[in-house]
Amino acid sequence: LVFGTGGVYFAGWLSDRLAQRGKLDALLTVAAFGFVGCGLFGARAPEPKAAVDEQLDSARRNAALAFGQGRFDQAEILYRQALERAQTRDDGVLIGDIGYDLAVTELRRGEDAASLAMARASASELQRRGRTVFAELRLVEAAALYRLGQVPAAEAAASSIAGGDDGAARRGRF
């Protein structure tokens, strides 16, 4: 526990401290120095952070802004750029998230078939990677099916969201 001359100095200081103060005060002091010592002597280099993809972040941020301002055509272009970057990075979570955003954007643009295709492709990509397909993505799929006139398929998709709860499926009908 003693490290070089600094450790010898600390041991001497600690014995003086113990003699002057109560045991609780000394224990707290030792604990405080122990934490500092762990930081000084046991410190490790920080783990490298995942590389930030500025193009992906910028495309997503700008797409969300465009969507919020009702510029759905521009949002669609930017979400496609972001999706391409996520696919290049092979990031399954981002592919699912951006695919969802793009599917919603396609719904807002009135491109129901494109929305359905994107929702299904995103769900397939998540499943392929062993991830759970989130309910919002299934809801977009159900909405696109409904808009395309495929009501029984839309109801089936909606009931899969509810986890088989018939009451929830009835409440969630279009």
Side-chain angles (χ1 to χ4, degrees):
L1 188 71
V2 177
F3 299 98
T5 54
V8 172
Y9 172 77
F10 174 71
W13 176 85
L14 181 60
S15 65
D16 290 343
R17 183 96 169 151
L18 285 171
Q20 294 172 358
R21 304 249 175 159
K23 289 184 181 180
L24 181 59
D25 187 38
L27 182 61
L28 291 174
T29 303
V30 169
F33 275 107
F35 290 129
V36 170
C38 289
L40 294 176
F41 299 110
R44 294 187 181 140
E47 294 290 325
K49 293 183 180 179
V52 175
D53 189 335
E54 293 296 330
Q55 289 178 341
L56 185 138
D57 289 345
S58 176
R60 276 190 90 182
R61 205 172 28 253
N62 290 332
L65 287 171
F67 185 91
Q69 295 171 353
R71 297 187 326 239
F72 304 119
D73 291 338
Q74 183 181 12
E76 184 259 342
I77 292 167
L78 292 166
Y79 278 131
R80 286 203 187 279
Q81 290 173 1
L83 182 61
E84 185 178 309
R85 294 295 301 172
Q87 290 169 336
T88 300
R89 290 180 53 162
D90 198 30
D91 188 329
V93 173
L94 280 176
I95 291 170
D97 287 347
I98 297 168
Y100 163 78
D101 292 336
L102 184 53
V104 170
T105 301
E106 293 291 12
L107 276 179
R108 292 301 303 244
R109 292 180 66 232
E111 300 292 334
D112 303 325
S115 176
L116 178 61
M118 180 52 59
R120 286 183 171 168
S122 298
S124 174
E125 194 65 29
L126 289 169
Q127 289 171 336
R128 184 178 71 80
R129 294 166 186 274
R131 300 208 177 262
T132 303
V133 178
F134 47 96
E136 294 86 355
L137 191 56
R138 293 284 185 212
L139 183 60
V140 171
E141 180 181 355
L145 285 165
Y146 179 78
R147 286 183 174 189
L148 290 169
Q150 300 176 23
V151 177
E155 287 178 346
S159 66
S160 76
I161 295 167
D165 180 1
D166 290 335
R170 280 194 301 276
R171 287 189 302 274
R173 285 209 174 141
F174 302 98

